[in-house]
């Protein structure tokens, strides 16, 4: 494969301005992550220490194999929800190595409201288990939750993707033969009791661990019975009498040690694709990404410069380089795995949409995973483009992408607007993983376009009714729309709502994709096939 050559001028004023801007965004990202991961009220930390409990990240550190990578998912979930009282959506999820096995880890965070589940907590856990189902990934649950946040119960319980989906996914995993282990460090209350009960293996800590459908307050309110948590659902009851739990542990360290022994017995299934090339670090410097990414969402940039700083050896075989030039397509290796890359170099025209659809079909024919690098304002609009069939051609790309049987990974590198998000494998299209960069924005259209569209609609309404055109009203509508877009299109709003699997510092993208690819190739490819293309 040809090595990509960089045309970046690192001494230019534009590069230095962009570098300072994006380096600042990366620093802000790390500050926010640090706060979400570690900053807790002293009283909550003292309460856990009093009961001899470790913090969730301390448990994680003891569980993982030393010196191995951990890909944390959605570290800033709920960062713009619930008045900030649920950092990380009150739980921790991610992919790591335990006893030599890749596993998904779900850990409750008892330092936040006793580990109570908020609606976004449930969404985050469901997403983690969806990833486990899609990638045949064993799961280790670190359980310590007071149950659902009852003030928000209507958003927790009844619908398809609410709490019941956690337990449904657990059942599906067991049916698939994908192992699950629960380590019960604290209370597993109400629906949360089913996490260890539905796991294939579980360990409970004597004195602090407990499993019950109704805790002591509920039992007293419902039946009048007064009973301690330990007598109601503690380790001795469940390992000696009920059989709900398998192994008792004297403390958390012993529980983790037993858990690691259990995982060590699990079979290691062969991957359907192994790395086929020796791993080479990119020749181009990843740190340059800060100066390549624009500091204005309306500006485009050369996506080959990004590709060259992610892929092995900065080598890239480009497909149809002179046709449909606003979509870059081609083959590369990433941590030794072959991938097909689709990257936006501008708006999607008819020829670039057709090129993308064809390239996606070729990757499916050759069982090559797909990587989408998004910076897209959408498909081109206008009379001439509709006449040429842009809607039809965009539909071809969406159809080919949707019906792909190979794993799909997406990175939101800058803008993601309109139906271009669909063709480039946005969240709705079942990609195995989707990450964003701190500069990225996502919306049905850009803020200025939305404000202009609504202002034009309002103006026509006034003209139809014969009412006087009030420029102040039009200006207010435009300003309100722009303000709403600024809040709701940001990367932090997107990740708060779990529209992605987390924000990445751009320089960490290669490593995150390496873990994601390694997990994605656990699953044999499906059967090739497409829906109907409209010719």
């Amino acid at each position: 494969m040809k090595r990509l050559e960089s045309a970046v001028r690192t001494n230019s004023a534009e590069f230095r301005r962009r570098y300072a801007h994006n380096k600042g965004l990366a620093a802000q990202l790390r500050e926010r992550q640090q706060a979400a991961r570690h900053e807790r009220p002293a009283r909550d930390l003292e309460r856990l220490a009093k009961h001899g409990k470790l913090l969730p990240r301390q448990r994680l550190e003891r569980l993982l194999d030393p010196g191995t990578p951990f890909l944390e998912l959605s570290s800033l979930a709920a960062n713009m929800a619930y008045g900030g009282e649920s950092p990380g959506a009150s739980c921790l999820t991610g992919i790591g190595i335990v006893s030599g096995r890749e596993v998904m880890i779900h850990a409750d965070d008892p330092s936040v409201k006793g580990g109570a589940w908020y609606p976004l907590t449930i969404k985050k856990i469901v997403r983690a288990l969806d990833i486990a189902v899609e990638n045949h990934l064993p799961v280790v649950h670190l359980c310590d939750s007071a149950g659902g946040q009852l003030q928000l119960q209507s958003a927790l319980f009844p619908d398809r993707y609410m709490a019941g989906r956690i337990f449904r996914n657990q059942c599906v995993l067991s049916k698939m033969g994908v192992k699950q282990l629960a380590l019960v460090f604290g209370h597993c209350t109400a629906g949360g009791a089913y996490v260890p009960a539905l796991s294939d293996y579980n360990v409970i800590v004597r004195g602090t661990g407990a499993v019950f459908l109704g805790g002591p307050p509920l039992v007293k309110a419902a039946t009048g019975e007064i009973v301690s948590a330990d007598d109601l659902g503690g380790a001795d009851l469940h390992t000696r009498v009920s059989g709900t739990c398998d192994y008792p542990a004297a403390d958390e360290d012993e529980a983790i040690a037993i858990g690691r022994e259990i995982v060590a017995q699990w079979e290691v299934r062969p991957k359907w694709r192994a790395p086929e090339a020796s791993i080479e670090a990119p020749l181009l410097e990843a740190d340059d990404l800060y100066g390549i990414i624009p500091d204005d969402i309306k500006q485009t940039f050369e996506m080959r410069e990004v590709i060259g700083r992610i892929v092995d050896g900065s080598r890239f075989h480009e497909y149809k380089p002179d046709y449909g030039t606003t979509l870059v397509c081609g083959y590369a290796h990433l941590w030794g795995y072959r991938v097909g890359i689709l990257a936006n170099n501008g708006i999607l025209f008819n020829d670039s949409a057709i090129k993308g659809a064809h390239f996606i079909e070729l990757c499916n024919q050759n069982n090559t995973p797909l990587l989408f690098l998004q910076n897209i304002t959408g498909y081109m609009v206008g009379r001439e483009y509709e006449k040429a069939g842009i809607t039809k051609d965009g539909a071809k790309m969406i159809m080919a992408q949707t019906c792909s049987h190979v794993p799909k990974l997406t990175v939101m590198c800058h803008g993601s607007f309109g139906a271009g998000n669909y063709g480039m494998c946005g969240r709705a299209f079942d990609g195995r993983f989707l990450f964003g960069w701190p500069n990225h924005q996502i919306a049905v259209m850009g803020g200025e376009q939305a404000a202009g569209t609504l202002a034009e609609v309002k103006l026509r309404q006034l003209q139809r009714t014969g009412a006087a055109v009030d420029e102040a009203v039009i200006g207010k509508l435009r300003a309100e729309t722009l303000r709403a877009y600024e809040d709701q299109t940001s990367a932090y709003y997107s990740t708060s709502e779990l529209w992605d699997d987390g924000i990445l510092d751009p320089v960490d993208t290669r490593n995150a994709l390496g873990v994601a690819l390694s997990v994605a190739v656990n699953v044999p490819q499906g059967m090739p096939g497409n829906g109907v293309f409209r010719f």
Side-chain angles (χ1 to χ4, degrees), residues 338-351:
R338 184 174 69 245
V339 293
I341 299 174
L342 295 93
N344 301 121
N345 246 16
I347 197 164
L348 287 165
F349 293 92
N350 298 75
D351 54 359

Side-chain angles (χ1 to χ4, degrees), residues 297 374 376 410 412-422 425-428 434-447 484-495 497-500:
I297 197 67
Q374 283 205 18
I376 182 62
T410 303
M412 304 291 206
C413 298
H414 202 44
S416 180
F417 297 103
N421 170 276
Y422 301 160
C425 195
R427 190 61 147 177
L434 186 151
F435 301 105
W437 286 353
N439 56 294
H440 109 262
Q441 294 182 21
I442 182 169
V444 68
M445 63 180 71
Y485 264 69
E486 286 174 4
D487 290 340
Q488 296 178 11
T489 61
S490 76
Y492 290 104
Y493 188 88
S494 177
T495 206
E497 296 295 312
L498 285 123
W499 297 346
D500 56 41

Side-chain angles (χ1 to χ4, degrees), residues 354-505:
I354 292 170
K355 171 182 169 180
H358 192 182
F359 181 71
I360 290 168
E361 287 186 314
L362 293 177
C363 289
N364 276 269
Q365 182 192 59
N366 201 42
N367 294 321
T368 302
L370 292 164
L371 171 60
F372 296 84
L373 302 177
Q374 283 205 18
N375 176 32
I376 182 62
T377 56
Y379 292 96
M380 190 61 190
V381 298
R383 183 172 180 270
E384 288 302 312
Y385 299 99
E386 293 294 353
K387 184 178 178 181
I390 186 63
T391 302
K392 178 178 66 174
D393 293 335
K396 292 173 187 172
M397 184 176 173
I398 293 171
M399 180 72 77
Q401 183 268 110
T402 303
C403 296
S404 293
H405 68 272
V406 296
K408 300 179 291 186
L409 311 177
T410 303
V411 180
M412 304 291 206
C413 298
H414 202 44
S416 180
F417 297 103
N421 170 276
Y422 301 160
M424 292 294 293
C425 195
R427 190 61 147 177
F429 291 85
D430 298 324
R432 299 290 184 88
F433 294 89
L434 186 151
F435 301 105
W437 286 353
N439 56 294
H440 109 262
Q441 294 182 21
I442 182 169
V444 68
M445 63 180 71
E448 291 185 6
Q449 292 92 331
T453 300
L454 290 176
E456 179 67 20
V457 170
K458 184 66 175 178
L459 183 62
R460 291 185 180 182
Q461 287 175 343
L462 294 172
Q463 290 172 342
R464 281 198 303 269
T465 60
V469 175
D470 189 335
E471 292 296 337
V473 171
I474 301 296
K476 181 181 178 183
L477 177 63
R478 183 186 294 273
E480 289 175 348
T481 303
L482 281 171
R483 274 197 302 274
Y485 264 69
E486 286 174 4
D487 290 340
Q488 296 178 11
T489 61
S490 76
Y492 290 104
Y493 188 88
S494 177
T495 206
S496 179
E497 296 295 312
L498 285 123
W499 297 346
D500 56 41
D501 294 315
I503 302 178
L504 301 175
D505 184 329

Side-chain angles (χ1 to χ4, degrees), residues 142-171:
L142 308 183
C143 304
D144 195 347
S145 173
Q149 182 66 289
L150 294 180
Q151 296 95 325
L152 303 173
Q153 68 84 28
S154 64
L156 297 174
F157 177 69
D159 207 354
R160 182 178 184 182
Y161 289 99
M162 293 182 182
R165 195 74 175 185
I166 296 173
F167 315 127
R168 175 265 186 193
N169 279 359
Q170 285 192 265
C171 295

Side-chain angles (χ1 to χ4, degrees), residues 111-123:
S111 69
V112 181
K113 304 290 185 182
W117 289 353
Y118 288 72
L120 286 172
T121 313
I122 289 170
K123 188 174 183 180

